[in-house]
Amino acid sequence: MRLINRKPGRVLAIVLAALPFVAVALAYTIGSEMRLAVNPQDRLLPAPATLLDTAIRTFTEAERRSGRILLWHDTGASLFRLLSGVGIAALLSLVLGLVIGLLPVMRGTLSNFVAVISMVPPLALLPILFIFFGLGELSKVVLIVIGTAPVMTRDLAQRVLEIPREQIIKAQTLGASSLVIALRVVLPQVLPRLIINMRLSLGTAWLFLIAAEAVASETGLGYRIFLVRRFLAMDIILIYVLWITLLAFLLDWALRALSRRAFRWLEAGL
Amino acid sequence: MSFVQVRDVWQRYGTRSIIERVNLSVEEGAFISIVGASGCGKSTFLRLLLAEEQPTRGEVSVAGAPPAREPDRARGVVFQRYSVFPHLSVRDNIVAAESFGTRLGWLWGARLREAKARADATLARIGLDHVAGHYPAALSGGMQQRLAIAQALTARPRILLLDEPFGALDPGTRVQMHDFLTELRAENPMTVFMVTHDLAEGFKLGDRVLVFDKPRWDPHAPDAYGATITYDFDARHGGIPYHHLREKVDEPAFAKA
C-alpha cells in the first residue's frame, strides 16, 4: 500500500498527535537531569519539579511590595494591548478592504498606498511610535495595528474582488445601491475571512507586543520575561512562555469556534 | 414602438470587434433565444441588454426608457452559476429581491413578515418550500437555478435575461427546468432573452431564435470584424411557422372545372 493512502486509526491518531509533545518533554527532562547531575546549581534547564513549583508560585502568590499576583496583572495588561490592537486593525482592515475592493476610485487611490505601507517593517517604526505616542499603552497598540492592518487590508480587498461578478450584477438588478451591496452581499461573505485574518495576525501581534513590552514597559508578559532574564530565572521565563502559548492557542480556538457558529452557510454543502 | 429596441449597436474592446451592426426590435412578451458558436458575442450582447456594459456605438432601450447606464430593477438576470447569494437562506434569497431595493437593504417588522409570507408562497409554487431554511449550497443545481429564476422574477423586471441558465444541469433536470420556465411564462407573460448553446433548447423555448455569427472574416485579422445577427428564425410551432396555414383553394374555380 502506498504511504499516501495509509491512514492512522483513532487510537493511533491520538498517539501520533501526542508523540512530538512527549518527545520534547522527554528531551527536556533528560537534558535537565544531565546538567543538574554535573552542577546542582545549574539554572539553564530547571527540573520539571522546580518548574511546577514555580508555576504554582507565579499563578498564586502575590508580590510582597504591591500585593498583586504579577502573572495575572501582566496577562491583563498584555491581553488588553493585544486584543485592542488586533481589534482595531480588524475593523480598520474591514472598512478599507471593502472600500478598496468595491469602489474603483478608492482602489485607484489606496491600493498601491496600502501595498507600500505593508512593506514598512513595523519594528523599525517602534522608536518613532515611542516618541510620538509616549511609552504608555497607545504606542504598543499602534504598533500592533500598523503591523497587522495593512496585510489584513490587502487580503480582504482581494477577497472582495474575488466575489463572483455575477452576484454583484444580480444584486444591482434587485435594486441594491452600492451601500446595500457592501452591507448585504459583500460584508457577510468576507466576515469569515476577517476571522481567519485575525487568527493569522495574532501570531504577528504577539511578536510586536512582546517586542514593544521588552523595549519599554512597566507591566506585561513580555516585560516580565525580559526583566527576569537579568536574573537568569529560566523557570519563570519558561512558565511565561508556556502561558503565552496557551493564551495564543485559546484565542485561536475561540475565534475558530466563533467562525464555525456564526457562519453556518459556509459548511452547508451537501 | 417595440418593447426592446436595439439600434445599430457595436461593441469593441480596444481593436477587437465583438459585435457590429446589431439591430433588433422585440415585442413585449416574446421569448428570444440567442444561439451561436463560442466567442460570437452572445454573452456580450446579453451584457449590453443588461447595461453591465455600454456599447461602443448605438443604443439599447427597454420599454421606451432612455438607455440605461448600469443594471437596474427593469432587468432580471440568471447566470449559469453564482446567481443566488450563498450566505442567505433560500427564503432570504427571495426576500432579498424586495429588501435590496431599500435604503439599507433590510426590511423590518410588518414589511418583513409580509415579504417572508410572499416568499414562502413563491417557494411553495416552485416546489422549494421544504428547503426554505436551507442554504443554497445544500441544494442541487436544478433547485438553485429554480431559486435564481424565482428570485429574479420577484423583483418584477421588465425583461428577463438568461445566460446559459441550464448549461450546467444534467439532461433530465434540464427538461424539468424547461417545463418550469414554460409554466412560469404561462402564469405571467414576460419578455425573455436566453443565451444557449443548445439549439434544440433554443427552438423549444423560444418564439424567435437569433443566430450570432461573423458575416465578414479576415483570415489575417480574425478580430477585425465582429459578429451580428445572421439569422432570425420564427421558432413558434416547432420552428415551422407556416405549416398550420391551409392553402386557400379557389373553390368556385375548382368547381367549374
Side-chain angles (χ1 to χ4, degrees):
Chain A
M1 200 177 184
R2 288 181 187 83
L3 269 176
I4 54 165
N5 291 326
R6 244 181 231 177
K7 288 171 194 136
R10 255 187 65 172
V11 179
L12 185 61
I14 294 171
V15 171
L16 286 177
L19 198 62
F21 294 101
V22 174
V24 169
L26 207 65
Y28 178 87
T29 314
I30 294 171
S32 162
E33 264 177 35
M34 278 163 66
R35 285 189 70 101
L36 287 168
V38 177
N39 174 17
Q41 299 299 312
D42 181 67
R43 307 196 63 170
L44 279 191
L45 297 179
T50 322
L51 274 182
L52 189 67
D53 226 38
T54 315
I56 293 169
R57 258 192 308 115
T58 44
F59 274 96
T60 55
E61 269 179 31
E63 190 204 27
R64 250 169 294 156
R65 187 174 59 81
S66 59
R68 290 188 295 215
I69 299 176
L70 289 177
L71 182 116
W72 295 111
H73 192 62
D74 290 336
T75 305
S78 286
L79 278 186
F80 170 76
R81 292 164 187 158
L82 185 82
L83 293 181
S84 38
V86 172
I88 291 169
L91 268 180
L92 196 66
S93 76
L94 183 63
V95 173
L96 284 176
L98 279 180
V99 162
I100 292 173
L102 269 176
L103 307 177
V105 174
M106 295 308 278
R107 184 153 64 243
T109 314
L110 286 178
S111 70
N112 286 328
F113 180 70
V114 173
V116 170
I117 290 293
S118 71
M119 297 301 163
V120 175
L123 280 179
L125 293 177
L126 191 53
I128 303 177
L129 297 182
F130 280 143
I131 292 167
F132 274 104
F133 299 112
L135 298 178
E137 303 299 310
L138 188 58
S139 54
K140 299 174 186 70
V141 173
V142 171
L143 177 70
I144 293 175
V145 172
I146 290 181
T148 55
V151 181
M152 286 162 89
T153 303
R154 289 180 75 184
D155 182 76
L156 224 53
Q158 190 55 41
R159 301 294 153 170
V160 173
L161 285 171
E162 280 169 14
I163 288 180
R165 184 86 197 134
E166 284 91 336
Q167 283 185 29
I168 308 290
I169 299 286
K170 180 86 181 202
Q172 292 181 57
T173 64
L174 300 181
S177 63
S178 301
L179 180 67
V180 171
I181 291 174
L183 290 179
R184 296 239 31 211
V185 180
V186 177
L187 178 65
Q189 294 196 62
V190 297
L191 273 184
R193 187 63 204 178
L194 182 72
I195 304 271
I196 292 177
N197 278 344
M198 285 173 77
R199 288 174 59 193
L200 293 175
S201 300
L202 271 173
T204 357
W206 277 108
L207 169 74
F208 294 133
L209 175 73
I210 297 202
E213 287 179 344
V215 174
S217 186
E218 289 156 358
T219 174
L221 297 165
Y223 160 75
R224 195 67 54 196
I225 289 179
F226 277 80
L227 182 74
V228 301
R229 177 195 61 151
R230 295 174 194 167
F231 318 122
L232 213 64
M234 277 296 280
D235 48 348
I236 298 183
I237 294 181
L238 282 174
I239 293 302
Y240 266 71
V241 170
L242 289 176
W243 176 236
I244 291 173
T245 309
L246 180 67
L247 285 176
F249 180 79
L250 287 178
L251 280 177
D252 186 66
W253 176 83
L255 282 173
R256 206 176 51 196
L258 172 74
S259 170
R260 228 178 308 166
R261 282 179 70 93
F263 311 116
R264 278 196 308 123
W265 59 270
L266 270 182
E267 296 163 32
L270 275 173
Chain B
M1 171 111 187
S2 55
F3 190 64
V4 176
Q5 188 76 46
V6 178
R7 257 178 253 105
D8 192 31
V9 159
W10 298 57
Q11 183 66 323
R12 186 176 293 139
Y13 303 129
T15 57
R16 283 177 62 214
S17 283
I18 307 296
I19 55 179
E20 58 181 40
R21 287 177 300 160
V22 173
N23 286 288
L24 180 67
S25 70
V26 171
E27 301 305 315
E28 184 161 17
F31 193 122
I32 311 294
S33 299
I34 301 170
V35 299
S38 293
C40 260
K42 306 186 298 286
S43 292
T44 301
F45 183 62
L46 209 70
R47 281 201 293 277
L48 291 173
L49 287 173
L50 188 55
E52 183 186 347
E53 290 175 10
Q54 303 301 315
T56 317
R57 212 198 284 177
E59 60 178 38
V60 177
S61 90
V62 173
R69 301 195 50 217
E70 56 183 5
D72 54 23
R73 274 179 85 93
R75 297 149 163 84
V77 67
V78 174
F79 298 101
Q80 186 173 354
R81 294 168 62 205
Y82 306 123
S83 268
V84 291
F85 301 110
H87 59 290
L88 298 178
S89 71
V90 168
R91 182 188 292 118
D92 288 345
N93 260 291
I94 301 283
V95 173
E98 297 188 37
S99 65
F100 275 21
T102 60
R103 229 158 65 86
L104 288 175
W106 287 97
L107 291 176
W108 307 99
R111 282 185 70 195
L112 178 63
R113 277 197 299 280
E114 286 163 24
K116 279 195 169 173
R118 277 194 295 275
D120 283 337
T122 306
L123 290 175
R125 195 159 55 84
I126 64 173
L128 289 180
D129 44 345
H130 61 293
V131 289
H134 290 39
Y135 289 104
L139 269 55
S140 69
M143 288 158 101
Q144 286 191 25
Q145 288 306 77
R146 246 189 293 170
L147 176 62
I149 292 170
Q151 182 191 47
L153 292 181
T154 305
R156 306 195 172 285
R158 307 301 303 270
I159 58 173
L160 179 64
L161 306 168
L162 308 173
D163 194 355
E164 295 180 37
F166 314 131
L169 305 179
D170 62 84
T173 314
R174 208 181 256 234
V175 172
Q176 284 173 15
M177 293 299 294
H178 294 165
D179 297 342
F180 170 66
L181 199 57
T182 312
E183 273 170 37
L184 280 185
R185 287 229 318 141
E187 282 169 36
N188 45 343
M190 51 192 162
T191 312
V192 184
F193 290 83
M194 179 179 75
V195 166
T196 179
H197 273 302
D198 186 344
L199 263 182
E201 182 177 86
F203 273 94
K204 178 179 170 188
L205 294 174
D207 299 322
R208 275 164 83 179
V209 175
L210 305 179
V211 182
F212 272 75
D213 201 0
K214 290 188 177 181
R216 300 190 284 173
W217 178 257
D218 182 345
H220 302 290
D223 287 337
Y225 302 115
T228 190
I229 299 174
T230 50
Y231 291 98
D232 183 350
F233 291 107
D234 189 332
R236 287 168 298 182
H237 312 291
I240 315 169
Y242 303 115
H243 79 141
H244 61 289
L245 298 178
R246 293 239 178 88
E247 249 178 71
K248 279 212 180 88
V249 181
D250 198 351
E251 281 186 38
F254 183 75
K256 260 180 238 164

